[in-house]
Amino acid sequence: MAASAPPSSTGSTKLDAIVQKTSAQTPEKLSGLALYSRFALAGAVCCSVTHGGLTPVDVVKTRIQLDPVTYNRGMIGGIRQVIANEGAGALWTGFGPTAAGYFLQGAFKFGGYELFKQQFINYFGYETASNNRTAVYLASSAAAEFFADIALCPLEATRIRLVSEPTFATGLVSGFGRIARKEGLGAFYSGFGPILFKQVPYTMAKFVVYEKVVEAVYKRVDKSTASGPMQTGINLGSGLIAGFAAAIVSQPADTMLSKINKTKGLAGEGTTSRLIKIAKELGLRGSYTGIGARLFLVGLITAGQFSLYGDIKKALGATGGVEIAK
């Protein structure tokens, strides 16, 4: 291996000293496992915190989807109904599987998105990837979400069962164990088709809209001079818009997922036949039951995720990666 070339001199001893000091203080950009593990951790924390913190909204949203006749007073009215009928603690039903499930899902989703995006850039080359960046965003997010849903599905099935049947179990461990014993491990993935149908379009819309909004903002704002709070605000606003788009795209599948996980299927009834039956029962209008609550929920979650993700990445020193926005 050839020896490294000595640093070039400016001709001034004092100036050379300043240059060397500045270089020493500049943090080294991470790469490989060190970088992507930080992306994954940042994604895990931001998803767990946002989904877990909004468990009460998710509880009411799920009740509206599963029993629209009883829960027909909107989000605020639904919260009041749950408290009046079951106590305030019922609003936190499913917190355990929600926080745990989205910790795993967030790691795969955000870490996977960054990883797959880099792989596409490596494969096609920077210029081609940049010119076709929308396709890169869509393909990267879809691939990441597929693996994220494998991790999420069992915990999401447990969460929905706890919310739809409050007496089913006392929490994550007991609920998970009861489903495994009574219905078998396959029951955890009875909703895998619908969750893919819901989450993959949701995530594709979420990331591509976020990337496009951020790109548009930074064409008008110099990112290099934007303060930390300003960048957080941009992430927050862009995430809110992305969340609204993602909620609208994925709402029908979200309703079907709640329905299919509510009860065990009939003997010999496959997942596909159950989905077809549920879709016919719901219709287009019925599939958008609870859209108001979900817009509120997903908008807040997505805005919070992107603002937290950006800040956590900075805190962890995850400043590597390649951006292809123009």
Side-chain angles (χ1 to χ4, degrees):
M1 182 181 293
S4 300
S8 58
S9 174
T10 62
S12 167
T13 305
K14 289 184 178 180
L15 190 55
D16 285 347
I18 293 172
V19 169
Q20 290 179 14
K21 183 178 180 181
T22 302
S23 299
Q25 291 176 342
T26 302
E28 182 181 354
K29 284 196 173 184
L30 298 170
S31 61
L33 181 61
L35 176 63
Y36 291 100
S37 62
R38 284 168 170 79
F39 286 150
L41 179 58
V45 172
C46 76
C47 286
S48 183
V49 168
T50 52
H51 280 278
L54 288 171
T55 295
V57 178
D58 204 21
V59 166
V60 176
K61 183 268 297 182
T62 302
R63 296 287 178 87
I64 291 172
Q65 289 175 323
L66 297 177
D67 190 3
V69 175
T70 302
Y71 294 92
N72 58 3
R73 304 175 191 174
M75 175 58 62
I76 303 301
I79 291 174
R80 289 172 177 166
Q81 283 179 280
V82 173
I83 293 174
N85 295 334
E86 303 168 44
L91 290 172
W92 292 97
T93 302
F95 172 77
T98 298
Y102 282 96
F103 186 90
L104 291 174
Q105 193 232 26
F108 283 98
K109 176 185 289 188
F110 282 87
Y113 175 71
E114 301 281 7
L115 177 62
F116 283 116
K117 186 168 69 170
Q118 182 65 67
Q119 297 312 306
F120 282 120
I121 293 169
N122 293 344
Y123 182 80
F124 291 108
Y126 181 84
E127 192 63 30
T128 301
S130 182
N131 291 335
N132 298 277
R133 57 193 176 280
T134 300
V136 171
Y137 298 150
L138 290 171
S140 301
S141 56
E145 187 59 48
F146 177 81
F147 292 102
D149 289 342
I150 293 174
L152 173 65
C153 202
L155 292 157
E156 181 68 358
T158 305
R159 180 195 71 81
I160 291 175
R161 189 65 63 87
L162 290 174
V163 172
S164 61
E165 299 179 37
T167 59
F168 180 76
T170 57
L172 168 59
V173 176
S174 58
F176 191 95
R178 184 174 179 186
I179 293 174
R181 289 193 307 273
K182 299 290 185 181
E183 302 171 34
L185 296 178
F188 290 119
Y189 285 94
S190 64
F192 187 61
I195 208 171
L196 283 178
F197 184 51
K198 163 195 161 185
Q199 288 293 134
V200 172
Y202 164 85
T203 300
M204 291 168 74
K206 168 180 169 176
F207 277 104
V208 77
V209 172
Y210 171 79
E211 295 276 16
K212 290 295 185 180
V213 174
V214 167
E215 181 178 339
V217 171
Y218 282 125
K219 282 182 178 178
R220 294 163 177 79
V221 177
D222 186 354
K223 186 175 182 179
S224 64
T225 60
S227 65
M230 177 180 285
Q231 290 185 28
T232 299
I234 290 170
N235 289 337
L236 195 66
S238 302
L240 184 64
I241 296 170
F244 288 155
I248 292 169
V249 167
S250 61
Q251 175 65 15
D254 184 69
T255 303
M256 292 175 70
L257 179 65
S258 294
K259 292 283 187 183
I260 203 169
N261 278 319
K262 181 181 180 181
T263 56
K264 183 181 178 181
L266 300 175
E269 187 178 33
T271 300
T272 302
S273 59
R274 290 180 69 193
L275 288 173
I276 293 171
K277 183 172 73 174
I278 291 170
K280 287 179 178 178
E281 290 173 353
L282 288 171
L284 181 62
R285 185 173 181 177
S287 68
Y288 276 88
T289 300
I291 184 62
R294 192 156 181 268
L295 280 170
F296 178 74
L297 172 70
V298 175
L300 285 179
I301 283 176
T302 310
Q305 281 178 1
F306 279 114
S307 61
L308 282 173
Y309 182 62
D311 289 345
I312 294 170
K313 281 198 303 181
K314 289 179 188 175
L316 293 174
T319 57
V322 178
E323 295 300 327
I324 52 176
K326 290 188 175 180

mmCIF file of all heavy atoms in Angstrom, residues 145-184:
data_model
loop_
_atom_site.group_PDB
_atom_site.id
_atom_site.type_symbol
_atom_site.label_atom_id
_atom_site.label_comp_id
_atom_site.label_asym_id
_atom_site.label_seq_id
_atom_site.Cartn_x
_atom_site.Cartn_y
_atom_site.Cartn_z
ATOM 1 N N GLU A 145 -40.419 -1.586 3.379
ATOM 2 C CA GLU A 145 -41.675 -1.858 4.085
ATOM 3 C C GLU A 145 -42.026 -3.332 4.087
ATOM 4 O O GLU A 145 -42.606 -3.840 5.050
ATOM 5 C CB GLU A 145 -42.813 -1.048 3.461
ATOM 6 C CG GLU A 145 -44.117 -1.129 4.233
ATOM 7 C CD GLU A 145 -43.993 -0.652 5.663
ATOM 8 O OE1 GLU A 145 -43.414 0.429 5.895
ATOM 9 O OE2 GLU A 145 -44.463 -1.367 6.575
ATOM 10 N N PHE A 146 -41.686 -4.047 3.028
ATOM 11 C CA PHE A 146 -41.969 -5.487 2.985
ATOM 12 C C PHE A 146 -41.317 -6.196 4.168
ATOM 13 O O PHE A 146 -41.962 -6.979 4.877
ATOM 14 C CB PHE A 146 -41.469 -6.081 1.664
ATOM 15 C CG PHE A 146 -41.647 -7.571 1.573
ATOM 16 C CD1 PHE A 146 -42.874 -8.104 1.215
ATOM 17 C CD2 PHE A 146 -40.594 -8.440 1.883
ATOM 18 C CE1 PHE A 146 -43.052 -9.501 1.145
ATOM 19 C CE2 PHE A 146 -40.769 -9.822 1.812
ATOM 20 C CZ PHE A 146 -42.002 -10.347 1.444
ATOM 21 N N PHE A 147 -40.054 -5.925 4.399
ATOM 22 C CA PHE A 147 -39.343 -6.576 5.509
ATOM 23 C C PHE A 147 -39.820 -6.032 6.863
ATOM 24 O O PHE A 147 -39.878 -6.772 7.853
ATOM 25 C CB PHE A 147 -37.838 -6.388 5.349
ATOM 26 C CG PHE A 147 -37.266 -7.137 4.175
ATOM 27 C CD1 PHE A 147 -36.954 -6.487 2.999
ATOM 28 C CD2 PHE A 147 -37.069 -8.506 4.248
ATOM 29 C CE1 PHE A 147 -36.443 -7.184 1.907
ATOM 30 C CE2 PHE A 147 -36.559 -9.219 3.169
ATOM 31 C CZ PHE A 147 -36.253 -8.555 1.986
ATOM 32 N N ALA A 148 -40.178 -4.755 6.899
ATOM 33 C CA ALA A 148 -40.680 -4.167 8.135
ATOM 34 C C ALA A 148 -41.984 -4.823 8.564
ATOM 35 O O ALA A 148 -42.232 -5.040 9.756
ATOM 36 C CB ALA A 148 -40.883 -2.662 7.949
ATOM 37 N N ASP A 149 -42.828 -5.176 7.597
ATOM 38 C CA ASP A 149 -44.127 -5.763 7.918
ATOM 39 C C ASP A 149 -44.016 -7.190 8.433
ATOM 40 O O ASP A 149 -44.870 -7.651 9.193
ATOM 41 C CB ASP A 149 -45.036 -5.716 6.694
ATOM 42 C CG ASP A 149 -45.482 -4.303 6.374
ATOM 43 O OD1 ASP A 149 -45.370 -3.446 7.266
ATOM 44 O OD2 ASP A 149 -45.920 -4.058 5.235
ATOM 45 N N ILE A 150 -42.974 -7.891 8.027
ATOM 46 C CA ILE A 150 -42.742 -9.244 8.566
ATOM 47 C C ILE A 150 -42.534 -9.150 10.081
ATOM 48 O O ILE A 150 -43.024 -9.984 10.844
ATOM 49 C CB ILE A 150 -41.531 -9.896 7.881
ATOM 50 C CG1 ILE A 150 -41.846 -10.170 6.401
ATOM 51 C CG2 ILE A 150 -41.143 -11.196 8.590
ATOM 52 C CD1 ILE A 150 -40.658 -10.675 5.606
ATOM 53 N N ALA A 151 -41.826 -8.108 10.501
ATOM 54 C CA ALA A 151 -41.578 -7.909 11.936
ATOM 55 C C ALA A 151 -42.804 -7.375 12.655
ATOM 56 O O ALA A 151 -43.090 -7.735 13.804
ATOM 57 C CB ALA A 151 -40.403 -6.947 12.122
ATOM 58 N N LEU A 152 -43.582 -6.513 11.981
ATOM 59 C CA LEU A 152 -44.703 -5.835 12.620
ATOM 60 C C LEU A 152 -45.942 -6.713 12.763
ATOM 61 O O LEU A 152 -46.667 -6.613 13.763
ATOM 62 C CB LEU A 152 -45.059 -4.583 11.807
ATOM 63 C CG LEU A 152 -46.331 -3.826 12.226
ATOM 64 C CD1 LEU A 152 -46.164 -3.234 13.628
ATOM 65 C CD2 LEU A 152 -46.664 -2.736 11.218
ATOM 66 N N CYS A 153 -46.217 -7.561 11.795
ATOM 67 C CA CYS A 153 -47.515 -8.239 11.686
ATOM 68 C C CYS A 153 -47.973 -8.959 12.958
ATOM 69 O O CYS A 153 -49.119 -8.784 13.381
ATOM 70 C CB CYS A 153 -47.494 -9.198 10.498
ATOM 71 S SG CYS A 153 -49.147 -9.599 9.874
ATOM 72 N N PRO A 154 -47.145 -9.785 13.622
ATOM 73 C CA PRO A 154 -47.625 -10.480 14.825
ATOM 74 C C PRO A 154 -48.043 -9.518 15.944
ATOM 75 O O PRO A 154 -49.035 -9.766 16.642
ATOM 76 C CB PRO A 154 -46.411 -11.312 15.246
ATOM 77 C CG PRO A 154 -45.615 -11.486 13.997
ATOM 78 C CD PRO A 154 -45.782 -10.207 13.253
ATOM 79 N N LEU A 155 -47.314 -8.445 16.105
ATOM 80 C CA LEU A 155 -47.631 -7.492 17.171
ATOM 81 C C LEU A 155 -48.846 -6.645 16.817
ATOM 82 O O LEU A 155 -49.634 -6.275 17.698
ATOM 83 C CB LEU A 155 -46.410 -6.615 17.439
ATOM 84 C CG LEU A 155 -45.250 -7.395 18.066
ATOM 85 C CD1 LEU A 155 -43.926 -6.704 17.816
ATOM 86 C CD2 LEU A 155 -45.456 -7.595 19.549
ATOM 87 N N GLU A 156 -49.026 -6.350 15.547
ATOM 88 C CA GLU A 156 -50.202 -5.602 15.113
ATOM 89 C C GLU A 156 -51.463 -6.459 15.289
ATOM 90 O O GLU A 156 -52.512 -5.953 15.703
ATOM 91 C CB GLU A 156 -50.049 -5.172 13.650
ATOM 92 C CG GLU A 156 -51.196 -4.366 13.087
ATOM 93 C CD GLU A 156 -51.339 -2.976 13.683
ATOM 94 O OE1 GLU A 156 -50.567 -2.606 14.596
ATOM 95 O OE2 GLU A 156 -52.234 -2.245 13.241
ATOM 96 N N ALA A 157 -51.355 -7.743 14.984
ATOM 97 C CA ALA A 157 -52.493 -8.644 15.187
ATOM 98 C C ALA A 157 -52.879 -8.700 16.667
ATOM 99 O O ALA A 157 -54.069 -8.696 17.020
ATOM 100 C CB ALA A 157 -52.157 -10.043 14.678
ATOM 101 N N THR A 158 -51.880 -8.743 17.533
ATOM 102 C CA THR A 158 -52.137 -8.756 18.974
ATOM 103 C C THR A 158 -52.777 -7.452 19.421
ATOM 104 O O THR A 158 -53.731 -7.443 20.202
ATOM 105 C CB THR A 158 -50.825 -8.988 19.749
ATOM 106 O OG1 THR A 158 -50.196 -10.182 19.283
ATOM 107 C CG2 THR A 158 -51.091 -9.106 21.243
ATOM 108 N N ARG A 159 -52.274 -6.331 18.922
ATOM 109 C CA ARG A 159 -52.824 -5.017 19.293
ATOM 110 C C ARG A 159 -54.296 -4.906 18.926
ATOM 111 O O ARG A 159 -55.128 -4.489 19.752
ATOM 112 C CB ARG A 159 -52.049 -3.902 18.588
ATOM 113 C CG ARG A 159 -52.566 -2.501 18.931
ATOM 114 C CD ARG A 159 -52.050 -1.444 17.968
ATOM 115 N NE ARG A 159 -52.665 -1.562 16.648
ATOM 116 C CZ ARG A 159 -53.868 -1.092 16.348
ATOM 117 N NH1 ARG A 159 -54.620 -0.513 17.268
ATOM 118 N NH2 ARG A 159 -54.351 -1.222 15.120
ATOM 119 N N ILE A 160 -54.630 -5.290 17.699
ATOM 120 C CA ILE A 160 -56.010 -5.163 17.247
ATOM 121 C C ILE A 160 -56.933 -6.058 18.062
ATOM 122 O O ILE A 160 -58.057 -5.668 18.412
ATOM 123 C CB ILE A 160 -56.115 -5.467 15.735
ATOM 124 C CG1 ILE A 160 -55.421 -4.347 14.929
ATOM 125 C CG2 ILE A 160 -57.570 -5.605 15.297
ATOM 126 C CD1 ILE A 160 -55.363 -4.588 13.442
ATOM 127 N N ARG A 161 -56.467 -7.268 18.404
ATOM 128 C CA ARG A 161 -57.291 -8.163 19.217
ATOM 129 C C ARG A 161 -57.524 -7.576 20.610
ATOM 130 O O ARG A 161 -58.641 -7.645 21.149
ATOM 131 C CB ARG A 161 -56.620 -9.543 19.325
ATOM 132 C CG ARG A 161 -57.491 -10.610 19.974
ATOM 133 C CD ARG A 161 -58.724 -10.932 19.130
ATOM 134 N NE ARG A 161 -58.365 -11.479 17.838
ATOM 135 C CZ ARG A 161 -58.146 -12.779 17.622
ATOM 136 N NH1 ARG A 161 -58.268 -13.647 18.621
ATOM 137 N NH2 ARG A 161 -57.844 -13.209 16.411
ATOM 138 N N LEU A 162 -56.520 -6.958 21.202
ATOM 139 C CA LEU A 162 -56.673 -6.350 22.525
ATOM 140 C C LEU A 162 -57.635 -5.170 22.487
ATOM 141 O O LEU A 162 -58.431 -4.975 23.415
ATOM 142 C CB LEU A 162 -55.311 -5.877 23.038
ATOM 143 C CG LEU A 162 -54.288 -6.960 23.424
ATOM 144 C CD1 LEU A 162 -52.953 -6.328 23.762
ATOM 145 C CD2 LEU A 162 -54.793 -7.795 24.587
ATOM 146 N N VAL A 163 -57.570 -4.378 21.404
ATOM 147 C CA VAL A 163 -58.439 -3.203 21.296
ATOM 148 C C VAL A 163 -59.879 -3.616 21.007
ATOM 149 O O VAL A 163 -60.828 -3.053 21.580
ATOM 150 C CB VAL A 163 -57.924 -2.252 20.193
ATOM 151 C CG1 VAL A 163 -58.926 -1.132 19.933
ATOM 152 C CG2 VAL A 163 -56.583 -1.659 20.591
ATOM 153 N N SER A 164 -60.057 -4.596 20.112
ATOM 154 C CA SER A 164 -61.415 -4.995 19.721
ATOM 155 C C SER A 164 -62.089 -5.866 20.782
ATOM 156 O O SER A 164 -63.315 -5.899 20.871
ATOM 157 C CB SER A 164 -61.387 -5.741 18.382
ATOM 158 O OG SER A 164 -60.605 -6.919 18.471
ATOM 159 N N GLU A 165 -61.285 -6.590 21.582
ATOM 160 C CA GLU A 165 -61.828 -7.438 22.654
ATOM 161 C C GLU A 165 -61.085 -7.115 23.951
ATOM 162 O O GLU A 165 -60.112 -7.792 24.304
ATOM 163 C CB GLU A 165 -61.654 -8.916 22.316
ATOM 164 C CG GLU A 165 -62.376 -9.368 21.049
ATOM 165 C CD GLU A 165 -62.134 -10.835 20.750
ATOM 166 O OE1 GLU A 165 -62.070 -11.642 21.718
ATOM 167 O OE2 GLU A 165 -61.968 -11.171 19.573
ATOM 168 N N PRO A 166 -61.518 -6.094 24.678
ATOM 169 C CA PRO A 166 -60.797 -5.642 25.883
ATOM 170 C C PRO A 166 -60.583 -6.722 26.933
ATOM 171 O O PRO A 166 -59.646 -6.630 27.730
ATOM 172 C CB PRO A 166 -61.696 -4.520 26.425
ATOM 173 C CG PRO A 166 -62.442 -4.022 25.214
ATOM 174 C CD PRO A 166 -62.667 -5.238 24.363
ATOM 175 N N THR A 167 -61.435 -7.751 26.948
ATOM 176 C CA THR A 167 -61.292 -8.816 27.952
ATOM 177 C C THR A 167 -60.461 -9.996 27.432
ATOM 178 O O THR A 167 -60.301 -10.995 28.136
ATOM 179 C CB THR A 167 -62.681 -9.344 28.374
ATOM 180 O OG1 THR A 167 -63.365 -9.856 27.220
ATOM 181 C CG2 THR A 167 -63.519 -8.227 28.989
ATOM 182 N N PHE A 168 -59.918 -9.879 26.221
ATOM 183 C CA PHE A 168 -59.183 -10.991 25.603
ATOM 184 C C PHE A 168 -57.928 -11.343 26.401
ATOM 185 O O PHE A 168 -57.611 -12.506 26.611
ATOM 186 C CB PHE A 168 -58.809 -10.623 24.162
ATOM 187 C CG PHE A 168 -58.042 -11.687 23.429
ATOM 188 C CD1 PHE A 168 -58.686 -12.814 22.944
ATOM 189 C CD2 PHE A 168 -56.672 -11.568 23.223
ATOM 190 C CE1 PHE A 168 -57.990 -13.808 22.262
ATOM 191 C CE2 PHE A 168 -55.957 -12.547 22.549
ATOM 192 C CZ PHE A 168 -56.628 -13.671 22.068
ATOM 193 N N ALA A 169 -57.190 -10.322 26.839
ATOM 194 C CA ALA A 169 -55.950 -10.529 27.602
ATOM 195 C C ALA A 169 -55.610 -9.242 28.330
ATOM 196 O O ALA A 169 -56.207 -8.193 28.089
ATOM 197 C CB ALA A 169 -54.815 -10.943 26.673
ATOM 198 N N THR A 170 -54.635 -9.336 29.234
ATOM 199 C CA THR A 170 -54.274 -8.172 30.044
ATOM 200 C C THR A 170 -53.178 -7.310 29.418
ATOM 201 O O THR A 170 -52.936 -6.198 29.862
ATOM 202 C CB THR A 170 -53.804 -8.622 31.434
ATOM 203 O OG1 THR A 170 -52.693 -9.525 31.285
ATOM 204 C CG2 THR A 170 -54.932 -9.313 32.176
ATOM 205 N N GLY A 171 -52.501 -7.810 28.394
ATOM 206 C CA GLY A 171 -51.423 -7.036 27.784
ATOM 207 C C GLY A 171 -50.738 -7.797 26.670
ATOM 208 O O GLY A 171 -51.233 -8.834 26.194
ATOM 209 N N LEU A 172 -49.574 -7.273 26.268
ATOM 210 C CA LEU A 172 -48.842 -7.821 25.124
ATOM 211 C C LEU A 172 -48.485 -9.289 25.308
ATOM 212 O O LEU A 172 -48.801 -10.135 24.454
ATOM 213 C CB LEU A 172 -47.571 -7.000 24.896
ATOM 214 C CG LEU A 172 -46.530 -7.582 23.933
ATOM 215 C CD1 LEU A 172 -47.130 -7.789 22.551
ATOM 216 C CD2 LEU A 172 -45.304 -6.678 23.858
ATOM 217 N N VAL A 173 -47.836 -9.637 26.403
ATOM 218 C CA VAL A 173 -47.332 -10.998 26.593
ATOM 219 C C VAL A 173 -48.477 -11.998 26.671
ATOM 220 O O VAL A 173 -48.471 -13.038 25.985
ATOM 221 C CB VAL A 173 -46.448 -11.077 27.853
ATOM 222 C CG1 VAL A 173 -46.011 -12.523 28.098
ATOM 223 C CG2 VAL A 173 -45.229 -10.184 27.706
ATOM 224 N N SER A 174 -49.490 -11.691 27.476
ATOM 225 C CA SER A 174 -50.609 -12.627 27.630
ATOM 226 C C SER A 174 -51.430 -12.726 26.347
ATOM 227 O O SER A 174 -51.894 -13.812 25.980
ATOM 228 C CB SER A 174 -51.502 -12.205 28.803
ATOM 229 O OG SER A 174 -52.003 -10.894 28.610
ATOM 230 N N GLY A 175 -51.609 -11.598 25.668
ATOM 231 C CA GLY A 175 -52.366 -11.604 24.418
ATOM 232 C C GLY A 175 -51.646 -12.377 23.326
ATOM 233 O O GLY A 175 -52.252 -13.188 22.609
ATOM 234 N N PHE A 176 -50.351 -12.143 23.211
ATOM 235 C CA PHE A 176 -49.531 -12.842 22.217
ATOM 236 C C PHE A 176 -49.563 -14.345 22.483
ATOM 237 O O PHE A 176 -49.755 -15.161 21.572
ATOM 238 C CB PHE A 176 -48.099 -12.305 22.288
ATOM 239 C CG PHE A 176 -47.213 -12.739 21.157
ATOM 240 C CD1 PHE A 176 -47.043 -11.926 20.043
ATOM 241 C CD2 PHE A 176 -46.537 -13.953 21.201
ATOM 242 C CE1 PHE A 176 -46.219 -12.323 18.996
ATOM 243 C CE2 PHE A 176 -45.708 -14.363 20.158
ATOM 244 C CZ PHE A 176 -45.551 -13.536 19.052
ATOM 245 N N GLY A 177 -49.387 -14.706 23.751
ATOM 246 C CA GLY A 177 -49.374 -16.116 24.130
ATOM 247 C C GLY A 177 -50.708 -16.795 23.885
ATOM 248 O O GLY A 177 -50.754 -17.953 23.430
ATOM 249 N N ARG A 178 -51.805 -16.103 24.156
ATOM 250 C CA ARG A 178 -53.120 -16.713 23.982
ATOM 251 C C ARG A 178 -53.427 -16.974 22.510
ATOM 252 O O ARG A 178 -53.962 -18.020 22.154
ATOM 253 C CB ARG A 178 -54.198 -15.814 24.590
ATOM 254 C CG ARG A 178 -55.575 -16.451 24.526
ATOM 255 C CD ARG A 178 -56.638 -15.646 25.243
ATOM 256 N NE ARG A 178 -57.927 -16.306 25.118
ATOM 257 C CZ ARG A 178 -59.082 -15.793 25.532
ATOM 258 N NH1 ARG A 178 -59.093 -14.593 26.121
ATOM 259 N NH2 ARG A 178 -60.206 -16.446 25.370
ATOM 260 N N ILE A 179 -53.073 -16.015 21.644
ATOM 261 C CA ILE A 179 -53.285 -16.221 20.206
ATOM 262 C C ILE A 179 -52.462 -17.412 19.716
ATOM 263 O O ILE A 179 -52.952 -18.253 18.961
ATOM 264 C CB ILE A 179 -52.920 -14.948 19.412
ATOM 265 C CG1 ILE A 179 -53.907 -13.824 19.733
ATOM 266 C CG2 ILE A 179 -52.933 -15.227 17.907
ATOM 267 C CD1 ILE A 179 -53.543 -12.486 19.107
ATOM 268 N N ALA A 180 -51.196 -17.484 20.167
ATOM 269 C CA ALA A 180 -50.319 -18.580 19.747
ATOM 270 C C ALA A 180 -50.866 -19.935 20.191
ATOM 271 O O ALA A 180 -50.853 -20.908 19.425
ATOM 272 C CB ALA A 180 -48.916 -18.363 20.313
ATOM 273 N N ARG A 181 -51.380 -20.004 21.412
ATOM 274 C CA ARG A 181 -51.888 -21.272 21.946
ATOM 275 C C ARG A 181 -53.209 -21.683 21.302
ATOM 276 O O ARG A 181 -53.390 -22.838 20.929
ATOM 277 C CB ARG A 181 -52.080 -21.178 23.468
ATOM 278 C CG ARG A 181 -50.807 -21.134 24.287
ATOM 279 C CD ARG A 181 -51.115 -21.352 25.757
ATOM 280 N NE ARG A 181 -52.145 -20.441 26.249
ATOM 281 C CZ ARG A 181 -51.898 -19.215 26.725
ATOM 282 N NH1 ARG A 181 -50.655 -18.767 26.762
ATOM 283 N NH2 ARG A 181 -52.880 -18.453 27.158
ATOM 284 N N LYS A 182 -54.119 -20.740 21.201
ATOM 285 C CA LYS A 182 -55.481 -21.058 20.759
ATOM 286 C C LYS A 182 -55.611 -21.157 19.245
ATOM 287 O O LYS A 182 -56.414 -21.945 18.736
ATOM 288 C CB LYS A 182 -56.450 -19.976 21.273
ATOM 289 C CG LYS A 182 -56.509 -19.843 22.789
ATOM 290 C CD LYS A 182 -57.178 -21.046 23.425
ATOM 291 C CE LYS A 182 -57.342 -20.839 24.933
ATOM 292 N NZ LYS A 182 -57.973 -22.007 25.588
ATOM 293 N N GLU A 183 -54.864 -20.351 18.520
ATOM 294 C CA GLU A 183 -55.074 -20.253 17.074
ATOM 295 C C GLU A 183 -53.855 -20.638 16.246
ATOM 296 O O GLU A 183 -53.952 -20.748 15.015
ATOM 297 C CB GLU A 183 -55.522 -18.831 16.720
ATOM 298 C CG GLU A 183 -56.800 -18.411 17.439
ATOM 299 C CD GLU A 183 -57.119 -16.938 17.249
ATOM 300 O OE1 GLU A 183 -56.835 -16.408 16.164
ATOM 301 O OE2 GLU A 183 -57.644 -16.326 18.198
ATOM 302 N N GLY A 184 -52.721 -20.808 16.897
ATOM 303 C CA GLY A 184 -51.512 -21.184 16.174
ATOM 304 C C GLY A 184 -50.754 -19.976 15.652
ATOM 305 O O GLY A 184 -51.301 -18.870 15.562
#
